[in-house]
Amino acid sequence: MRWIAVFFATLALNAASAQVPSAPVRAIAPFCSPGGVVCVSVAIDGDGRASYSVSRLGAPVIAPSRLGFMLTDAPKIERGLAIMGSSERAFDETWEQPWGERRLVRNQYRELSVAFAEREGLQRRFAVVFRVYDDGLGFRYEVPAQDGLATARISAELTEFVIADPGEAWWIPALEWNREEYLYNRTAIDAVGLAQTPITFRTEDGLHLSLHEAALVDYAGMNLSRAEGQRFRAMLTPGVTAASVVRDTPFLTPWRTLQISDNAAGLAMSNLILNLNEPNALGDVSFFEPMTYVGIWWEMHLGQASWASGERHGATTERAIRAIDFAADNGFGGVLIEGWNVGWDGNWFGNGWDFSFTQAYPDFDLERVAARAQARGVQIIGHHETGGNAYHYERQMRDGFALYQRLGVHVVKTGYVADAGQAQGEGPDGAPTMIWHESQAMVRHQQRVVEEAFAHGIAVNPHEPVKDTGLRRTYPNLVSREGARGMEFNAWGQPGNPPEHEANLVFTRLLAGPMDFTPGIFGMQTSSPDGVATTWAKQLALYVVIYSPIQMAADLIESYEANPGPFQFIRDAPSDWEESLVLNGEVGDYVTIARQERGGADWYLGAITDENPRVLETPLSFLAPGRRYRAHIYADAPDAHWRDGRERIVISAREVTRADVLTLRLAPGGGQAIRFEALPGRIRGS
Ligand code: NOJ
Ligand code: CA
């Protein structure tokens, strides 16, 4: 917690130098990003209420929006405030990700810290620190230790976000039973309901905004409630008492973030969320290697096998060995095995009390499977489904991680399947109690899991998680997560994901960070009415479009064995990148992303569309100068269609250089995937 110490030293200095101004400071003039693009202003009104506003290139983006807190056991902190002083600094560094969508990340901002205090009464003090980037800003409250506020019991944050211009929003509802697993709504901004973040806006002028948060640590997740018109207020996920958050002072809140771009691609290129997180606090995480993995998984979702024991049990020794051999033969790094452990036989959903994280079912020989994995150079990906019962899990997770460590497991997928508000954690009296998945209690639980896993050389991939807020920078063993509707929704016999779903995700949920979406299905007929509503080419493109350092080849082994042509792309595609470029896109319509593999010269491209066909002229200027590449192209056939021509794919190869422009023809619900294999030698004359 070195960074907290640095911050409080800074705050103490500011406070010492900040005298109560003789004539109160009423406003702080626009304070701008390094390139002068984004500016923030701060003001106090006649009642002593603080507000901030944001502009981009001189035009308002966030109209004056209030700041403050409501507390359960003391008057709210909102009126009667004065600006006590302010300080500024500039920062510019380039840091390296141990794994990621790009290796090097530039973090360049200007910071404004504004100290506020109540002029009368309890004279409580806090600061708001703004970090202003050319592509947006983040701000957080910093509450120092003080007599009038030893413990903050926060019932509500009064932070507002008033979107200045009319436009549209893409959002999912908050506090609904299915957590983060909803299809995106597209409505007018002034028709948004209680919403989760990230939420994406496009104003009538074409400005793209994404509101979210960064560094959610020991605090409740933030949702947005719309007060009226385009005025949103932070709505903290409820806790187990009337307070959503209980913190002793001093403390920092998470950053409230706003990414701003004049096009959709710019939002997806932004590093703002990562940059607002603290540097790696763990050190070496080289035990984790990005990989593609297969699993004993899709068969359960299709209903062909079961997690529970019995005749249909999926996780048998024989099946695990078959999956390990298949992974090894095809160059994949891991095998996920779900349902290996005792606890799946009764009603585990939203319950979880029966799960053991150390005891295998009798038809699963853990030692033998682990030995085979080791012999074949493949990792087992562990699985800890908790049924949302964090209370029960915390009492076993150390033993569970220790077992996995002994067996050479370096990644564990965790799961919290329970309706929203029906997870279980420790209440104030130490007894188990019902909690929300993004409550302060679950955020703390996530932290304990990440730390315990790290102590055992293990990375985690939570499903039904706390939302991503960029913590992978600080805890790089928090490698991926679910937190949206993944592929599994196409298997369950109810309406699955529509063709626009992934083009929505790129510009909403995925702005927060990696997702374990589990692409790569070739068996398109499922019991869902529309099956898997994409073409095969789009399934392949998702390996590039959706970033995750662990990427599943999710289909049954038989599907891959039967289709070696398209399967080749899944075998080739890396899951760790030197650089990533969003070449074009519109929210919910289409997107094209190119990525260079880390430690190699090859590039990969993925383009996807919604239900509409598209022709995308794509210059290859991202390729290295002076090099020739063989482009291995996986394209929709002319008659491909997500409804009745999903398997129609044309695989071809041609030589290209960065001077070429490719015409990508995407079918309805289609896509295109390309591997640009760097050829030896240089182009003459270059
Ligand atoms: C839901 C997860 O998203 C899925 O991947 C997993 O198979 C089941 N829970 C069981 O843990
Ligand atoms: Ca799920």
Side-chain angles (χ1 to χ4, degrees):
M1 289 293 139
R2 185 167 36 95
W3 55 279
I4 292 197
V6 171
F7 153 66
F8 284 110
T10 317
L11 192 67
L13 263 181
N14 291 344
S17 58
Q19 305 296 316
V20 179
S22 42
V25 178
R26 276 262 136 88
I28 293 186
F31 175 85
C32 300
S33 62
V37 180
V38 174
C39 302
V40 64
S41 306
V42 176
I44 296 272
D45 71 10
D47 292 329
R49 291 185 170 114
S51 67
Y52 73 98
S53 49
V54 179
S55 64
R56 182 175 187 272
L57 299 174
V61 177
I62 299 288
S65 299
R66 293 226 172 105
L67 298 164
F69 293 101
M70 283 177 84
L71 306 169
T72 61
D73 56 351
K76 66 179 176 177
I77 303 174
E78 190 202 23
R79 288 168 179 263
L81 296 169
I83 294 176
M84 309 296 289
S86 65
S87 61
E88 305 175 8
R89 71 182 179 113
F91 189 82
D92 189 6
E93 68 168 5
T94 297
W95 57 280
E96 185 167 339
Q97 301 203 77
W99 46 266
E101 66 277 59
R102 58 179 54 86
R103 189 167 62 81
L104 298 175
V105 179
R106 177 125 186 235
N107 184 13
Q108 186 189 19
Y109 60 83
R110 292 185 68 231
E111 182 180 284
L112 169 70
S113 176
V114 184
F116 297 93
E118 291 171 323
R119 294 179 69 80
E120 291 172 356
L122 293 167
Q123 302 196 340
R124 292 166 297 186
R125 292 173 285 125
F126 66 94
V128 179
V129 174
F130 298 89
R131 287 196 183 158
V132 192
Y133 293 77
D134 286 337
D135 66 352
L137 85 165
F139 64 91
R140 70 178 173 193
Y141 298 87
E142 303 186 333
V143 186
Q146 53 196 293
D147 292 343
L149 192 61
T151 301
R153 294 185 177 80
I154 302 170
S155 55
E157 230 187 82
L158 300 177
T159 313
E160 291 181 347
F161 310 89
V162 182
I163 311 297
D165 284 330
E168 292 179 293
W170 286 262
W171 58 280
I172 52 174
L175 304 187
E176 291 294 329
W177 71 272
N178 215 6
R179 307 168 311 270
E180 296 162 334
E181 298 174 15
Y182 285 90
L183 293 175
Y184 276 81
N185 294 306
R186 176 180 183 172
T187 68
I189 298 176
D190 63 6
V192 172
L194 182 64
Q196 303 193 41
T197 74
I199 181 173
T200 298
F201 303 105
R202 182 169 65 203
T203 69
E204 283 174 1
D205 290 345
L207 202 65
H208 289 68
L209 311 173
S210 171
L211 256 179
H212 188 45
E213 59 181 312
L216 171 55
V217 176
D218 200 0
Y219 206 82
M222 180 182 78
N223 305 293
L224 295 173
S225 72
R226 195 173 56 82
E228 84 279 304
Q230 304 205 140
R231 182 162 69 90
F232 294 87
R233 208 179 78 185
M235 191 273 169
L236 300 177
T237 301
V240 288
T241 65
S244 288
V245 172
V246 180
R247 291 290 298 271
D248 292 339
T249 56
F251 70 92
L252 313 167
T253 69
W255 297 95
R256 278 59 187 98
T257 62
L258 182 68
Q259 286 157 283
I260 314 175
S261 171
D262 47 22
N263 56 48
L267 287 184
M269 283 295 291
S270 168
N271 297 308
L272 186 122
I273 306 265
L274 269 180
N275 276 332
L276 286 168
N277 277 271
E278 295 304 318
N280 183 345
L282 299 180
D284 181 22
V285 290
S286 56
F287 56 80
F288 169 70
E289 285 174 39
M291 63 162 100
T292 301
Y293 68 99
V294 293
I296 298 180
W297 183 77
W298 187 234
E299 49 269 60
M300 273 87 96
H301 289 273
L302 292 176
Q304 297 176 3
S306 65
W307 286 276
S309 62
E311 268 181 18
R312 292 170 52 248
H313 187 214
T316 63
T317 307
E318 288 63 40
R319 291 171 76 105
I321 286 177
R322 173 155 189 248
I324 288 166
D325 288 344
F326 180 78
D329 293 345
N330 289 283
F332 294 138
V335 177
L336 168 71
I337 303 170
E338 294 200 1
W340 67 273
N341 60 320
V342 167
W344 294 89
D345 290 324
N347 174 26
W348 57 271
F349 181 111
N351 174 8
W353 289 104
D354 298 333
F355 280 122
S356 162
F357 300 95
T358 49
Q359 199 190 334
Y361 277 126
D363 57 349
F364 185 76
D365 185 339
L366 189 55
E367 304 290 337
R368 205 177 132 209
V369 170
R372 178 68 152 229
Q374 203 135 34
R376 298 294 325 259
V378 167
Q379 281 182 33
I380 295 172
I381 298 187
H383 188 228
H384 285 170
E385 173 59 58
T386 69
N389 195 333
Y391 183 96
H392 180 63
Y393 182 40
E394 283 201 29
R395 279 149 187 79
Q396 285 192 54
M397 68 181 178
R398 178 176 303 191
D399 292 344
F401 287 135
L403 171 67
Y404 275 147
Q405 182 176 31
R406 182 170 68 71
L407 298 172
V409 172
H410 291 297
V411 190
V412 173
K413 169 177 170 179
T414 58
Y416 295 88
V417 177
D419 284 356
Q422 301 298 294
Q424 296 178 71
E426 197 171 291
D429 56 357
T433 187
M434 292 303 188
I435 55 177
W436 293 86
H437 282 73
E438 291 186 344
S439 60
Q440 183 183 19
M442 276 304 250
V443 169
R444 285 182 170 165
H445 167 73
Q446 168 184 268
Q447 184 80 19
R448 289 192 285 269
V449 171
V450 164
E451 287 173 5
E452 191 65 54
F454 177 73
H456 292 89
I458 289 174
V460 291
N461 167 28
H463 279 228
E464 303 77 40
V466 173
K467 65 177 153 182
D468 199 338
T469 59
L471 282 173
R472 64 188 159 124
R473 180 176 182 197
T474 314
Y475 306 102
N477 69 328
L478 183 46
V479 289
S480 193
R481 72 186 83 205
E482 190 189 42
R485 284 169 63 115
M487 183 65 75
E488 61 191 21
F489 274 79
N490 298 323
W492 294 340
Q494 62 194 32
N497 298 325
E500 68 165 16
H501 182 57
E502 297 86 358
N504 274 330
L505 285 180
V506 170
F507 299 107
T508 53
R509 156 68 182 84
L510 297 183
L511 300 178
M515 178 178 176
D516 188 29
F517 180 84
T518 71
I521 301 298
F522 293 157
M524 311 311 257
Q525 301 303 334
T526 67
S527 51
S528 284
D530 286 328
V532 181
T534 78
T535 65
W536 276 9
K538 180 168 174 179
Q539 286 296 312
L540 300 181
L542 293 177
Y543 284 90
V544 184
V545 167
I546 295 180
Y547 169 64
S548 175
I550 54 166
Q551 198 66 277
M552 189 171 199
D555 208 342
L556 305 176
I557 289 175
E558 299 79 48
S559 273
Y560 294 136
E561 286 174 340
N563 298 290
F567 181 49
Q568 186 61 41
F569 186 82
I570 304 177
R571 298 178 63 187
D572 290 340
S575 41
D576 198 22
W577 307 100
E578 175 68 23
E579 184 51 279
S580 294
L581 302 171
V582 183
L583 303 182
N584 57 44
E586 289 292 348
V587 187
D589 295 342
Y590 67 95
V591 63
T592 306
I593 298 183
R595 305 189 195 266
Q596 184 192 356
E597 77 175 310
R598 198 181 286 205
D602 290 3
W603 281 80
Y604 289 77
L605 178 147
I608 60 168
T609 180
D610 59 5
E611 68 282 4
N612 298 305
R614 271 176 228 278
V615 178
L616 300 171
E617 297 296 333
T618 308
L620 302 184
S621 49
F622 54 85
L623 296 174
R627 287 207 87 136
R628 289 176 303 117
Y629 296 80
R630 183 173 328 283
H632 303 267
I633 300 172
Y634 301 75
D636 288 325
D639 57 352
H641 193 291
W642 68 269
R643 207 186 279 283
D644 54 8
R646 309 171 205 223
E647 297 82 1
R648 294 179 196 143
I649 191 167
V650 177
I651 303 174
S652 63
R654 58 175 277 203
E655 263 192 39
V656 297
T657 70
R658 73 196 303 270
D660 286 302
V661 176
L662 290 188
T663 303
L664 313 182
R665 294 181 196 282
L666 313 185
Q672 189 162 137
I674 306 177
R675 174 187 178 198
F676 296 97
E677 180 190 4
L679 297 174
R682 300 194 64 80
I683 299 172
R684 213 174 318 142
S686 71

